[in-house]
Amino acid sequence: MTKPQTITLAGEAYVVVPLSEYEELRNAVDEDARDAAAMRRVLDDPGEESVPIKLVDRLLAGENPVRVWRQYRGLTGVELAAAAGVAASYLSAIENRKKPGSINALKRLATALQVDVDDLI
C-alpha cells in the first residue's frame, strides 16, 4: 500500500484523493444516510412489526408460512384452528401442503395470526 499524499493547512493534516474516489466515497455516504433514514421510518412506524431473521430464513427456505407464523406466535395447531374457526384437520392439511386452503380460510388464519393474507400465500 502506498503512503497517502497529505497536506497541512492551519495545523490540520488532510489526505489528498482523486476526485473520482472522493465522489465514490460521497455517494456511499449519501446512500448510507438514505438507508438509515428509511430504517428509522420503518422502526418508528408503530404499525410495522419487526420479526427475527430466523423467521424470515424459514419463510425464504420454503417452509409453510402458516406453520412458521403459527409457531412464531406460540400457538398450537388446535389453538390456531379454534381462533380462526377452521377444523384442526383442515389446518393440518394446509400446513402439510395437502390442501391449499380456501381464500376464506386463509383470511381467517391471517386474522388470527395478525398478518396479511399475502404473508400466508
Side-chain angles (χ1 to χ4, degrees):
M1 178 179 226
T2 61
K3 183 177 176 182
Q5 181 183 354
T6 61
I7 59 171
T8 303
L9 297 172
E12 190 162 356
Y14 295 86
V15 175
V16 179
V17 296
L19 182 58
S20 62
E21 288 183 37
Y22 168 79
E23 289 172 346
E24 286 179 25
L25 289 169
R26 183 66 198 182
N27 288 337
V29 167
D30 290 345
E31 185 177 342
D32 287 349
R34 286 191 300 273
D35 290 347
M39 183 60 75
R40 275 193 295 281
R41 283 192 302 274
V42 169
L43 292 174
D44 290 343
D45 182 351
E48 282 295 319
E49 177 181 15
S50 297
V51 295
I53 191 66
K54 287 184 179 187
L55 181 140
V56 175
D57 287 342
R58 289 179 66 192
L59 293 170
L60 291 175
E63 286 191 52
N64 184 286
V66 175
R67 177 178 287 136
V68 171
W69 281 105
R70 175 181 61 76
Q71 290 173 342
Y72 175 68
R73 297 289 189 223
L75 298 169
T76 65
V78 172
E79 290 169 335
L80 175 57
V86 300
S89 59
Y90 186 48
L91 173 61
S92 176
I94 292 169
E95 286 190 358
N96 290 303
R97 300 188 195 273
K98 293 180 180 174
K99 294 186 179 181
S102 69
I103 191 63
N104 187 36
L106 292 174
K107 284 180 183 177
R108 290 184 292 172
L109 289 166
T111 298
L113 291 168
Q114 301 173 355
V115 298
D116 293 331
V117 174
D118 292 343
D119 293 327
L120 301 182
I121 298 174

